[in-house]
Amino acid sequence: MDQFRALLITRDEATKAQSVEEATLGPGDLMDGDVDIRVVHSTVNYKDGLAITGKLPVVRRFPMIPGVDLAGTVIASRHDGITVGDKVIVNGWGLGETHYGAYSQMARVKGEWITPLPPAFTTAEAMAIGTAGYTAMLSILALERHGLTAASGPMIVTGASGGVGSMAVALLSRLGYRVIAVTGKAHEHTYLEALGASEILDRAELEAPPKLLGKERWAAGIDAVGGTTLANVIAMTTTGGAVAACGNVAGFDLHTTVAPFILRGIALLGIESSHAAPALRVAAWNRLARDVDRGRLADMTTSMPWSGVVNAAHDIVEGKVRGRLVVEID
């Protein structure tokens, strides 16, 4: 590719104001790496929204091509074991933050960042899953390692109408869990029930100051919200249960006590997806290939053209996006 289009974030160093515009680049403009990828599909995550809007300092060098998720085809490789024509996924590793990311027709990355696309998925399906579904699966795997199963009791999912939450609800229900979906959007109840939620809980119930210990209501949880919501989820988890924490939409603070941990033996499992080991990534994607219900995946997915990324970034930060967005890059 002699030339390709990319979305570029720049910043005025004097005013610190950033701007976003489409640019035409060439291979020589890309950053270091040993694999070149023709990007076919991407997605819009909450982190992408923060990067494009500048709501939080996600971007740590300028200029920057945003986009933390991509799927496409290898067009050049100098990395052992990766060959031209391979279908691949890349997410995390600083994409869209410190390394040029996914909103570009061409990407250059390090070979060790690459995960093979499972044969079960198209690139569009992989991006419908994206970091959100991959993070949800990492959370499920962590809870399973802790010994939790569907027989352990109900599972609560916060931020249920968002990307991670929607994927978690769909995956857990398919695995046989009784899922309690938390949302503050009454109009999303039907959507969440269609994904497999057994019960809908108004998020207001988890926004009050948490007690030292609350009534035991669920065996485990996947929390994509953080803050007071996470503190309440922990306080109401049953003895021996666990909560996988994977998001911070409500903030980074966590005001809780040691009571749930020393009186009920609750475990708080941190989920880090950006720099997860390659073997764990492959395990997560192989489980996704086995456990994803493609009908439900389609129901929660909206496809959009390249031209809609900036508007979608603003919408996702403002809480206007339901489920998953797939961006048609090429």
Side-chain angles (χ1 to χ4, degrees):
M1 298 177 70
D2 295 330
Q3 290 187 325
F4 55 90
R5 63 179 184 172
L7 198 66
L8 202 63
I9 301 176
T10 57
R11 184 174 70 176
D12 184 307
E13 291 305 318
T15 65
K16 302 302 180 184
Q18 73 173 45
S19 59
V20 186
E21 60 184 9
E22 187 174 313
T24 299
L25 304 178
D29 295 312
L30 293 174
M31 299 174 69
D32 290 342
D34 51 11
V35 180
D36 292 351
I37 300 168
R38 181 72 174 250
V39 183
V40 181
H41 289 98
S42 184
T43 182
V44 181
N45 297 291
Y46 189 72
K47 182 182 281 188
D48 300 316
L50 294 174
I52 290 173
T53 62
K55 294 289 186 181
L56 282 179
V58 170
V59 177
R60 286 177 279 166
R61 58 148 290 173
F62 295 89
M64 178 54 59
I65 299 173
V68 304
D69 259 322
L70 68 83
T73 304
V74 174
I75 56 176
S77 175
R78 300 162 294 285
H79 189 93
D80 289 344
I82 298 175
T83 60
V84 172
D86 286 353
K87 305 290 186 182
V88 297
I89 304 164
V90 187
N91 74 281
W93 302 113
L95 284 187
E97 300 174 66
T98 58
H99 192 93
Y100 281 177
Y103 301 149
S104 171
Q105 289 176 302
M106 183 177 176
R108 179 174 294 144
V109 302
K110 296 180 180 180
E112 55 265 31
W113 297 353
I114 285 175
T115 302
L117 177 71
F121 294 132
T122 64
T123 54
E125 288 174 326
M127 290 297 94
I129 294 167
T131 288
Y134 155 69
T135 301
M137 182 53 76
L138 288 178
S139 301
I140 292 170
L141 292 175
L143 292 168
E144 289 178 347
R145 288 194 297 272
H146 192 71
L148 291 159
T149 68
S152 302
M155 176 82 77
I156 189 168
V157 176
T158 66
S161 64
V164 175
S166 293
M167 288 298 307
V169 170
L171 287 164
L172 290 167
S173 64
R174 185 172 172 86
L175 291 170
Y177 286 85
R178 182 176 180 273
V179 182
I180 303 170
V182 182
T183 184
K185 303 173 182 177
H187 62 280
E188 300 292 18
H189 288 198
T190 300
Y191 164 75
L192 292 169
E193 290 166 354
L195 293 183
S198 301
E199 180 182 343
I200 310 294
L201 185 66
D202 192 315
R203 72 181 179 203
E205 293 191 41
L206 300 178
E207 291 177 339
K211 299 177 181 178
L212 291 180
L213 289 172
K215 179 182 178 181
E216 297 181 62
R217 299 176 65 178
W218 37 76
I222 295 177
D223 174 68
V225 176
T228 301
T229 294
L230 175 56
N232 274 302
V233 168
I234 293 169
M236 289 184 267
T237 299
T238 60
T239 300
V243 180
C246 59
N248 65 314
V249 174
F252 287 95
D253 293 342
L254 179 59
H255 299 291
T256 186
T257 72
V258 298
F261 307 109
I262 65 174
L263 298 180
R264 287 186 182 164
I266 306 304
L268 179 60
L269 309 175
I271 307 300
E272 198 285 320
S273 62
S274 292
H275 294 83
L280 181 56
R281 291 170 180 267
V282 170
W285 279 98
N286 285 343
R287 275 291 299 273
L288 286 162
R290 188 193 81 179
D291 294 338
V292 164
D293 182 315
R294 282 167 176 74
R296 287 178 175 174
L297 183 64
D299 289 342
M300 73 175 77
T301 302
T302 302
S303 294
M304 57 179 290
W306 165 284
S307 59
V309 168
V310 173
N311 286 338
H314 285 270
D315 286 344
I316 200 167
V317 169
E318 294 169 11
K320 298 177 181 178
V321 172
R322 177 179 78 180
R324 302 290 297 135
L325 299 175
V326 171
V327 182
E328 299 167 355
I329 298 294
D330 191 13

